[in-house]
Amino acid sequence: LFNDDCFREGVVTYDEDNAETIVRACAALRLRLRERHLRTLADETLERGDVDLLALAEPLRKAFLCYLFLATLEELIIQHLTA
């Protein structure tokens, strides 16, 4: 997903063959972040993304932002494939 082209051109390339694998990997990473680093945040808070980032300690803020990035990536891939 983040191969040399991505870092050189800023383009993430995926297709119907690897999209499901990428979405599953994002979901697995989000679950791991939830278990290990975000367990103090309610599920509703995580799903809404309704968090005061400045109120979070730096490690928690980084984990939360990674969680949001992965959720957004999942949503974009699913939207693109169903369009």
Side-chain angles (χ1 to χ4, degrees):
L1 181 62
F2 299 109
N3 58 20
D4 290 339
D5 291 339
C6 174
F7 293 108
R8 191 174 31 245
E9 299 169 14
V11 175
V12 175
T13 305
Y14 67 91
D15 55 33
E16 290 180 6
D17 293 333
N18 66 1
E20 182 179 347
T21 303
I22 294 167
V23 169
R24 286 178 183 269
C26 288
L29 288 170
R30 287 175 63 219
L31 286 172
R32 184 56 62 113
L33 283 166
R34 223 175 185 160
E35 306 177 337
R36 291 197 173 181
H37 303 286
L38 301 171
R39 62 184 171 272
T40 60
L41 299 176
D43 289 343
E44 288 179 7
T45 301
L46 288 172
E47 293 306 315
R48 283 192 326 259
D50 187 21
V51 173
D52 179 6
L53 292 175
L54 297 177
L56 299 178
E58 185 177 351
L60 187 57
R61 183 172 49 241
K62 287 179 178 180
F64 180 73
L65 289 172
C66 185
Y67 183 91
L68 285 181
F69 168 76
L70 293 167
T72 302
L73 184 58
E74 282 181 70
E75 290 174 13
L76 290 172
I77 290 171
I78 291 168
Q79 286 175 8
H80 181 72
L81 293 175
T82 59

